[in-house]
Each structure stands twice: as structure tokens, then as C-alpha cells.
């Protein structure tokens, strides 16, 4: 019985068995834990734990923003999607850098000023200030908690592969051991530890990505050789839209991915709450181009490793003894020098830890701060609130570990589900709400509920049904999906939420209680 419950096992993941890689991995884990201890010593309040006491500068903010979006997805989920769908998957990586620019323009200054006007520590705090509604606060907290579980599971799923590759332990112990270290690090250090780990791993990831790109192109025979091998096996693998479905629907599917990963960036709470941490407004100026350029460079890992490995498999040069989720670790371990592999894998450990820390912080704050306040039962003592927040970290870690343990869903798919949850719930109420005086609390409530319903119905329910063994039910639910199979559910949910937000806000603008708070007029006119 136990055998049937185990998650993805060793499969084709090679074990490094290399003292250089083992040393790098061990040292990096030690550094991460020490940063966590240092963060613990710097944390005296919930403000410190959640937003670092507004102490972050330009480069640290930009690198943190880039790294929390890239994280384990870029090394495991990214190569996996490129390996599966070829150049079609590059829609994600070409649009995500644009998302940083959009997010900075529409939200950066407004979120930072909001933190000064009122005492805001979480996204739900900010949305309560904007709409003066406990329902909006509570639903925002609920949406954060739900999305965090899927997103945190993405990083834990990546972590189990990286732990296996570096230390040679079974995947199952990589999952449990990695989750334990993550929990220890997060409970100790909070966001102070997270942003500095983000900064270190971001620099490491950028350097490593350049080396991986060069080795991957050489391994695949250059872009000409890669393209030829892929085109011979399946022309859709080098088509901009080929992997997205029929030619008629392909362009709409591509637009759907573009919307989700560019505009949807502005709805990611682990990114936009970083603006609360900014030391002042002036340092926000150069954050967007730094973050966008850094993300683009780091994406070279997914682009080159995924395409090269698929091209060599199709050409018969290597045998596919690995799953799509294992493409990144397999390439780095087997086809790059030890020092490059050590650099990348060590950076990935830090990336996963720091990004997961961000998810755990916003999710735990939703449970300990946002939802209780929405229910009229706030924790008034700051020390108690801090301890309850740290306790909530444990529950979220255990729950997300369980999702990975029982689900064989691809890492990349888990990531897109989490992204879609956040985009649909928060782009309308944050982006439109902080740029449009006519937004109302009724519109915000309708948007959050509508976005959650679409995502839960067409993403979470089918996945849970498959895991529970009800494949027929999952197929029946998906049969009701009104769009082609490749069209992202998150985009549908986002569009539904935006339509509901605008329509309901217009219909309820004249209701009593929907006046814009007096101290926010200047904010929305910036």
C-alpha cells in the first residue's frame, strides 16, 4: 500500500557523486540556515518579520523581485515545459520580463505610499485600506492562502529533485528533509532572511545561467543543429504556436499565455508586497529594468537546456531515461563541468528556500493576521501575532508537502495553477483598485469570488479528482471548459474577474459607503 502512495521516485535523476557539488550544496545550505539565524536576531516585531522594517534598497529589491518569480520554476518547471512543448513554451519566458515593467508602473509607488499612509504589512491590509471592507480583507487572505499552497508545492516539488541530485538521497527524503530545513529557516528568519538569500542566489543564478546557456548550445550542436533535429522529429516543436493546439486556436492560446504571464505578474502578492519594503520612493526608479533583465538572463537555463535535451533525444544521441521534470537537473549534472553544476544547484537550493519563505510569510500572515481581523477577532499583542504567524508556517508547509507527496502533477503545471490563482484574484482589486477612484468593495468581492471559482472549478477540482482516482469525474469537469485545451484557465479566471470588477463597480458606485477614503485621493492621483 505504501508503495502506491509514494510520489515521483528516483527515476532518471542522476546523483552528483562529486565532492565539489556536495561541498557547494552543503555550504549553501549552511549559509541559508545562518542567514535564517541572523534574520531571527534582527526580528523584533511582525513588521520586521513580514516587510523587513522598510529597509531594502534598489538592487536588493530588484533582485528579490526577480528571484521570487523565477525560483525553482525556472530550473525545474521551465526546462520541463520547453522540453515538452518546444519553442511554444517560450511565450512564458518572453512575456514575464514585460510583467515586471507593467507591475512597477502601475503599482510600485502606490503600494509604497500606501504603507506610509496607513500601517499595511500584507496585501489584505492594503486592500482593506482601499475598500474599507472586512469581506475584501477576508477574501484576500483566503485567496492568498489557497494560492500559496499550490505555489509552495511547486517549489517543494523542485526541491526534492535538487536534494536528490546533490546529496544522493531518495526523492522522498529530499522532499521531507528539504521541507524541514525550509520550515526551520522560515520560522527563524522571516522576510529579513528571505530578501538577502534572494539577493545572493539571484547573482549566482545569473552567472550560472550564462554558463549553462553556452554549454547547452554546444551540447545540442548550436541553434542550427537543435532546430534541425526538432523539426525533423516534429515541426511543431520549433513553431511559435505549434504546441498550443490546432492552428486556428493557437494564436488565441498564445495571447492567453501572454496575458497571464505579463499582466498577471501584477497580481502576484509575493512580488507586489515587496514594494512595502522599499527604503523610500526614489529607489524604485531602476528596479523594473534590473528585475526584467535579470529574469531574461536567468531564463536562458530553461530555453537552452530544454531545447538541447529534447533535440538530442529526438536525434537518438541520448536515451530518455528521465521525466520532463528532471530535464534541468539531468543536463546540469551530466553535461556541464562540476563547478558549473555546483554553482547552479547551490543557487537553486537558495532560490527555492528564499522564494518558499516569501510564500510561507504571506500565507501565514493571511491565516494569523488577515482572516482573524476580517472576522473581528484580531490578535492585538504584536509578540503573540508574530508567534501565531510562525506557527501558521508549520501548517502550510505540512499541507504543501502533502500536495507534492500525493500528486504527480508536473512542477510547471503546479506553478501555472498558483500563478493563475493570484492573477485572477489580485490584478483587478490591486491594479485597477489603486488606479481607479470608481472601484468599489462590491466589485472587489465579485472579482475575488469569480476568479477563485473559475480557478478552483477547472484547475484544482480536476487535479484533486485525478489524485483521488476519479479520472472520469475530472474528465467530465474539463469537458465543460468552454475553451481549447491549451488555453490557460488562469487567463479565463483573470478576464472573468476583471469584467466582474468593472461591471459591479460601475453598478454600485452611487451606494453609500463607496466613497474613496479622504487620505487616498492623493495616492490615486499620482
Amino acid at each position: 500500500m505504501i508503495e502506491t502512495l509514494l510520489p515521483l521516485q528516483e527515476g532518471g535523476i542522476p546523483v552528483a557523486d562529486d565532492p565539489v557539488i556536495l561541498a557547494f550544496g552543503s555550504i549553501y545550505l549552511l549559509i541559508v540556515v545562518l542567514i535564517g539565524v541572523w534574520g531571527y536576531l534582527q526580528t523584533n516585531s511582525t513588521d520586521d518579520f513580514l516587510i523587513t522594517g522598510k529597509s531594502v534598497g534598489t538592487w536588493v529589491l530588484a533582485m528579490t523581485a526577480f528571484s521570487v518569480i523565477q525560483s525553482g520554476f525556472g530550473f525545474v518547471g521551465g526546462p520541463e515545459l520547453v522540453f515538452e512543448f518546444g519553442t511554444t513554451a517560450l511565450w512564458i519566458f518572453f512575456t514575464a520580463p514585460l510583467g515586471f515593467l507593467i507591475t512597477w508602473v502601475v503599482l510600485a509607488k502606490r503600494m509604497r505610499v500606501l504603507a506610509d499612509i496607513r500601517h499595511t504589512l500584507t496585501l489584505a491590509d492594503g486592500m482593506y485600506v482601499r475598500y474599507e471592507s472586512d469581506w475584501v480583507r477576508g477574501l484576500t487572505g483566503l485567496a492568498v492562502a489557497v494560492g500559496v499552497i499550490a505555489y509552495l508545492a511547486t517549489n517543494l516539488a523542485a526541491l526534492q529533485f535538487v536534494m536528490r541530485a546533490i546529496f544522493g538521497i531518495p526523492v522522498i527524503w529530499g522532499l521531507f528533509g528539504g521541507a524541514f530545513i525550509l520550515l526551520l529557516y522560515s520560522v527563524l528568519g522571516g522576510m529579513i532572511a528571505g530578501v538577502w538569500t534572494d539577493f545572493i542566489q539571484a547573482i549566482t543564478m545569473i552567472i550560472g545561467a550564462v554558463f549553462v546557456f553556452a554549454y547547452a548550445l554546444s551540447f545540442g550542436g548550436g541553434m542550427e543543429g537543435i532546430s534541425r533535429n526538432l523539426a525533423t522529429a516534429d515541426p511543431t516543436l520549433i513553431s511559435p504556436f505549434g504546441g498550443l493546439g490546432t492552428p486556428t486556436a493557437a494564436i488565441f492560446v498564445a495571447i492567453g499565455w501572454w496575458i497571464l504571464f505579463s499582466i498577471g505578474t501584477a497580481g502576484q502578492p509575493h512580488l507586489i508586497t515587496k514594494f512595502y519594503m522599499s527604503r523610500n520612493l526614489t529607489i524604485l526608479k531602476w528596479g523594473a529594468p534590473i528585475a526584467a533583465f535579470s529574469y531574461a538572463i536567468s531564463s536562458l537555463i530553461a530555453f537552452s537546456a530544454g531545447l538541447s535535451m529534447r533535440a538530442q533525444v529526438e536525434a537518438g544521441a541520448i536515451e530518455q531515461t528521465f521525466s520532463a521534470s528532471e530535464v534541468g537537473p539531468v543536463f546540469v549534472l551530466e553535461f556541464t563541468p562540476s563547478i558549473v553544476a555546483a554553482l547552479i544547484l547551490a543557487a537553486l537550493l537558495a532560490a527555492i528556500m528564499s522564494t518558499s519563505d516569501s510564500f510561507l510569510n504571506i500565507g501565514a500572515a493571511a491565516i494569523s493576521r488577515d482572516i482573524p481581523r476580517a472576522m473581528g477577532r484580531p490578535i492585538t499583542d504584536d509578540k503573540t501575532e508574530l508567534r501565531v504567524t510562525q506557527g501558521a508556517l508549520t501548517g502550510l508547509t505540512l499541507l504543501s508537502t502533502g500536495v507534492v507527496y500525493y500528486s504527480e502533477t508536473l512542477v510547471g503545471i503546479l506553478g501555472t495553477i498558483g500563478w493563475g490563482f493570484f492573477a485572477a484574484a489580485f490584478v483587478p482589486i490591486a491594479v485597477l483598485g489603486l488606479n481607479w477612484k470608481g472601484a468599489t468593495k462590491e466589485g472587489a468581492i465579485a472579482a475575488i469570488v469569480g476568479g477563485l471559482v473559475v480557478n478552483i472549478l477547472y484547475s484544482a477540482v480536476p487535479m484533486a479528482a485525478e489524485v483521488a482516482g476519479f479520472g472520469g469525474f475530472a474528465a467530465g469537469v474539463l469537458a465543460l471548459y468552454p475553451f481549447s485545451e491549451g488555453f490557460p484557465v488562469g487567463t479565463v479566471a483573470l478576464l472573468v474577474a476583471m469584467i466582474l470588477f468593472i461591471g459591479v463597480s460601475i453598478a454600485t458606485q452611487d451606494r453609500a459607503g463607496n466613497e474613496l477614503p479622504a487620505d487616498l485621493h492623493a495616492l490615486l492621483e499620482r
Side-chain angles (χ1 to χ4, degrees):
M1 177 64 177
I2 300 224
E3 293 291 328
T4 64
L5 294 178
L6 293 179
L8 291 172
Q9 295 302 294
E10 284 75 12
I13 306 176
V15 176
D17 194 24
D18 186 311
V20 174
I21 294 176
L22 183 61
F24 261 71
S26 300
I27 291 170
Y28 235 80
L29 274 184
L30 178 61
I31 290 173
V32 164
V33 173
L34 290 177
I35 290 175
V37 173
W38 172 79
Y40 177 77
L41 297 175
Q42 304 299 312
T43 299
N44 298 308
S45 66
T46 306
D47 287 46
D48 293 335
F49 193 82
L50 295 179
I51 62 170
T52 74
K54 301 177 184 176
S55 62
V56 174
T58 301
W59 279 93
V60 175
L61 178 65
M63 289 299 182
T64 297
F66 134 64
S67 60
V68 297
I69 294 298
Q70 185 63 283
S71 67
F73 175 83
F75 181 70
V76 179
E80 166 194 352
L81 293 178
V82 174
F83 184 86
E84 286 282 337
F85 302 109
T87 55
T88 298
L90 297 180
W91 275 96
I92 295 174
F93 303 103
F94 288 156
T95 55
L98 177 61
F100 289 105
L101 303 178
I102 294 173
T103 302
W104 245 263
V105 169
V106 299
L107 282 180
K109 288 186 178 180
R110 285 171 168 77
M111 292 289 287
R112 182 59 184 83
V113 171
L114 196 64
D116 282 339
I117 293 176
R118 308 277 189 95
H119 185 58
T120 55
L121 301 182
T122 66
L123 181 60
D125 280 346
M127 295 304 96
Y128 176 78
V129 169
R130 171 60 183 89
Y131 299 103
E132 296 187 323
S133 167
D134 283 325
W135 275 98
V136 173
R137 186 204 290 269
L139 287 170
T140 299
L142 177 63
V144 166
V146 171
V148 158
I149 292 169
Y151 234 137
L152 184 57
T154 303
N155 281 275
L156 289 174
L159 181 60
Q160 65 183 349
F161 296 134
V162 177
M163 294 286 284
R164 161 70 176 168
I166 294 176
F167 301 107
I169 58 179
V171 170
I172 187 68
W173 298 116
L175 173 62
F176 291 151
F180 174 76
I181 296 171
L182 166 64
L183 181 60
L184 177 66
Y185 160 76
S186 300
V187 169
L188 285 176
M191 199 60 74
I192 291 177
V195 295
W196 284 103
T197 309
D198 280 337
F199 181 74
I200 293 171
Q201 70 87 9
I203 299 298
T204 309
M205 182 72 74
I206 290 170
I207 295 171
V210 174
F211 281 107
V212 170
F213 180 69
Y215 280 105
L217 286 187
S218 175
F219 171 72
M223 281 307 301
E224 181 180 354
I226 292 171
S227 300
R228 182 173 58 252
N229 288 333
L230 292 176
T232 301
D234 183 356
T236 64
L237 291 174
I238 59 169
S239 166
F241 312 116
L244 298 175
T246 63
T248 304
I251 187 65
F252 295 102
V253 176
I255 292 173
W257 283 109
W258 181 87
I259 292 172
L260 184 60
F261 283 97
S262 56
I263 297 174
T265 302
Q268 306 306 305
H270 49 297
L271 168 61
I272 61 179
T273 53
K274 292 288 188 290
F275 297 131
Y276 288 157
M277 304 176 190
S278 171
R279 189 180 303 130
N280 52 53
L281 290 176
T282 58
I283 70 169
L284 294 172
K285 182 177 180 181
W286 295 105
I290 293 172
F293 186 66
S294 299
Y295 185 95
I297 294 177
S298 69
S299 294
L300 293 175
I301 293 177
F303 168 76
S304 58
L307 287 182
S308 296
M309 289 290 280
R310 182 63 183 267
Q312 292 300 89
V313 167
E314 297 295 349
I318 60 174
E319 181 182 358
Q320 186 178 346
T321 58
F322 47 84
S323 71
S325 296
E326 300 160 356
V327 167
V330 167
F331 175 76
V332 167
L333 283 171
E334 292 194 347
F335 304 110
T336 65
S338 295
I339 189 66
V340 174
L343 195 70
I344 290 295
L345 291 174
L348 255 294
L349 275 180
I352 293 167
M353 292 291 178
S354 56
T355 303
S356 298
D357 177 57
S358 293
F359 289 129
L360 282 171
N361 276 306
I362 64 173
I367 294 170
S368 66
R369 178 183 176 88
D370 301 328
I371 295 176
R373 291 187 177 215
M375 298 174 66
R377 301 177 64 87
I379 301 172
T380 55
D381 179 70
D382 186 73
K383 288 292 185 182
T384 302
E385 184 179 60
L386 174 59
R387 299 305 172 219
V388 173
T389 300
Q390 291 171 322
L393 292 172
T394 302
L396 285 172
T397 303
L398 292 175
L399 189 55
S400 298
T401 302
V403 170
V404 179
Y405 185 84
Y406 288 111
S407 174
E408 293 186 359
T409 301
L410 296 176
V411 179
I413 301 303
L414 278 173
T416 56
I417 289 174
W419 186 281
F421 264 95
F422 287 151
F426 303 132
V427 167
I429 69 170
V431 174
L432 298 183
L434 292 178
N435 287 276
W436 178 34
K437 294 181 179 180
T440 68
K441 58 179 178 289
E442 291 87 358
I445 292 169
I448 296 173
V449 172
L452 284 176
V453 167
V454 173
N455 270 309
I456 290 173
L457 179 61
Y458 292 119
S459 290
V461 169
M463 186 180 75
E466 286 283 355
V467 171
F470 299 107
F473 178 76
V477 171
L478 292 176
L480 300 175
Y481 187 57
F483 298 92
S484 62
E485 182 180 354
F487 198 88
V489 173
T491 303
V492 177
L494 172 58
L495 295 176
V496 167
M498 292 185 73
I499 292 170
L500 286 172
F501 182 80
I502 294 171
V504 174
S505 290
I506 291 174
T508 57
Q509 280 179 345
D510 296 331
R511 286 191 180 182
N514 279 334
E515 299 83 7
L516 183 70
D519 57 351
L520 296 190
H521 278 277
L523 172 67
L524 268 68
E525 291 169 358
R526 295 184 70 87

